[in-house]
Amino acid sequence: MQVPLIRLQCGVNSYDWGKVGKASAAAKFAAATPSGDFSIQEDKPYAELWMGTHPSLPSKDLETQRTLLDLVQDNQALMSREIGKRYGGKLPFLFKVLSIRKALSIQAHPNKKLAEELHSKDPKNYPDDNHKPEMTIAITPFDGLCGFRPLAEISHYLSAVASLRKLIGDSAAEDFEKAVKGHETSNDEQDLEKNKKALQTAFSALMNCEKSDVSAAAKDLVAAAKAEGESFAGNGGPSNEGQELADLVVRLNGQFEGDIGLFVLFFLNYVKLEIGEAMFLKADDIHAYLSGDIMECMASSDNVVRAGFTPKFQDIPTLTTMLTYSYAPISEQKMHPVDYPYVTLNSTAYSSASSTILYDPPIEEFSVVKTDLKKQGAKATFEAIEGPSIVICTKGQGEISVGPKVEDLKEGFVYFVGATAELVLESSCDDFTAFKAFCDLTGKEGPKS
């Protein structure tokens, strides 16, 4: 039987928001694997490297050129029968590298039920029927807009940003302020529902403003950002400094002049992630990535409901009705990774402070382990799991092995590892990093019990 270690050739998408040429990690990683029809063009943006079985950009076995989907459907043991049965013979997750030069659209991904409805009604804009919860891990410094701010912060901006209040209207702003005042942080179920309804009403009022009104208000907003600096937006509010928000408004206006997104940012948390920090976005959570290189893992879907920072199809009625309207500080969106327990590090790895860190979101489709090996000869041996994995090296070089099969693992190399295979990563340098996305339904995606 074939050893379940398969080097993959993975495709890269060229979207306008991607980093250009060799500045794009997605492009550099794609170019690490030979492909007859791909070479990096220095003036072209490269946005996403896709690793998985999704039909929009399927990964292939480098040696045979068969798609990974063909391979796992021909040999169910590669994924395990249970996972194959549960997920229709497809990999449960889609693993990506994103290289972000300018803002992605303000967006959310539908839950399973809504995805089925949207795909049935509009397959052109909603290409599949799956939900898309997703996890983001920074591999360079990253910033983005993620989830609704605490309500007191939104009230602060409605009061402190004159152009925002004028755009929404005094009446809508006052209705929101009155509805939430005094119980912005209450956990009472009735208060929570009332608060979410007030947030939905105010946010929908913003999203349904006339384009001409948005454009005029944006000129006032940008002028204020340039003139006020540190005092902008009432000195920035509890979570952000005034200069930070002023710079953000000017930067985003340079990318999408006069866009509604310039005002949406006062409703959403502005988050910065350092290398290795992560956040998880449930289906129906609103977000917009702004800059940086990230590893992204998600349920295998390409459904996006957009409403701002994009020339693509926008579906404001669907977006404003589908959102959960959960609100929380960004500290609650960030993940708290832990040491991965199902791995053995050799003495070289231990003595050099090497690590294997687990990012485990509250869903079953995927988890991710980040392995940092800090010395030549450092080795991590992963116990077999009852599910498939995809491994990518993002820094350094070393070897990957399953049983007797040993392969080079260099920056940008991607491998599929089948179920029930013990996996070994070994570094041949002093600074090696690899990410492993995997699905396991038996409990090895979390801490030992």
Side-chain angles (χ1 to χ4, degrees), residues 173-386:
E174 284 173 11
D175 287 349
F176 173 79
E177 290 160 346
K178 286 176 185 171
V180 304
K181 189 167 186 180
H183 46 84
E184 294 96 334
T185 58
S186 170
N187 290 319
D188 178 79
E189 206 164 300
Q190 283 187 316
D191 287 342
L192 286 169
E193 283 309 306
K194 188 179 171 189
N195 287 348
K196 287 181 179 182
K197 189 67 186 168
L199 179 54
Q200 179 175 9
T201 301
F203 185 69
S204 299
L206 173 64
M207 297 308 296
N208 285 292
C209 287
E210 293 292 333
K211 279 194 173 181
S212 57
D213 294 337
V214 174
S215 181
K219 287 177 181 164
D220 293 340
L221 179 69
V222 173
K226 288 178 177 176
E228 295 171 14
E230 283 188 23
S231 64
F232 178 65
N235 299 312
S239 299
N240 304 111
E241 295 175 356
Q243 189 66 59
E244 180 181 47
L245 287 179
D247 291 346
L248 183 61
V249 165
V250 172
R251 176 179 131 206
L252 293 176
N253 188 64
Q255 297 173 7
F256 293 95
E257 187 175 358
D259 194 272
I260 188 69
L262 301 176
F263 296 96
V264 172
L265 70 86
F266 295 106
F267 277 77
L268 305 186
N269 287 301
Y270 176 51
V271 58
K272 293 181 176 180
L273 298 181
E274 296 303 320
I275 295 170
E277 287 192 304
M279 60 187 180
F280 175 68
L281 296 160
K282 301 186 294 292
D284 302 335
D285 274 354
I286 188 168
H287 60 283
Y289 297 160
L290 302 179
S291 72
D293 297 287
I294 59 174
M295 302 302 305
E296 189 179 50
C297 200
M298 63 199 68
S300 189
S301 170
D302 196 26
N303 284 324
V304 184
V305 183
R306 299 180 183 88
F309 290 153
T310 181
K312 294 181 180 178
F313 171 71
Q314 298 189 32
D315 192 347
I316 289 168
T318 297
L319 185 88
T320 54
T321 53
M322 73 182 273
L323 297 174
T324 60
Y325 291 98
S326 296
Y327 47 90
I330 196 59
S331 58
E332 292 185 23
Q333 295 252 327
K334 286 188 179 182
M335 298 185 71
H336 302 284
V338 297
D339 289 336
Y340 182 61
Y342 301 99
V343 65
T344 302
L345 299 180
N346 70 355
S347 58
T348 306
Y350 269 118
S351 65
S352 58
S354 297
S355 61
T356 49
I357 303 297
L358 173 69
Y359 302 84
D360 183 35
I363 56 167
E364 66 178 22
E365 282 95 335
F366 60 84
S367 302
V368 173
V369 173
K370 176 177 184 262
T371 300
D372 289 303
L373 300 178
K374 295 297 186 182
K375 194 170 184 181
Q376 184 176 347
K379 185 188 293 189
T381 302
F382 292 85
E383 294 179 21
I385 58 171
E386 295 292 326

Side-chain angles (χ1 to χ4, degrees), residues 60-96:
K60 296 176 182 177
D61 179 337
L62 176 62
E63 189 178 335
T64 67
Q65 289 296 294
R66 291 184 68 194
T67 67
L68 181 58
L69 181 60
D70 277 349
L71 294 172
V72 298
Q73 289 186 337
D74 270 5
N75 183 357
Q76 291 183 16
L78 286 173
M79 286 210 301
S80 87
R81 289 187 184 279
E82 185 181 356
I83 288 174
K85 186 177 179 183
R86 185 173 302 200
Y87 296 105
K90 301 168 188 170
L91 201 64
F93 59 84
L94 178 58
F95 203 21
K96 294 183 183 181

Side-chain angles (χ1 to χ4, degrees), residues 25-26 29 96-99 136-142 273-277 292-295 370 394-395 433 435:
F29 295 164
K96 294 183 183 181
V97 177
L98 270 62
S99 292
T136 294
I137 307 169
I139 56 174
T140 64
F142 162 91
L273 298 181
E274 296 303 320
I275 295 170
E277 287 192 304
D293 297 287
I294 59 174
M295 302 302 305
K370 176 177 184 262
T394 59
K395 188 173 21 169
T433 300
F435 288 87

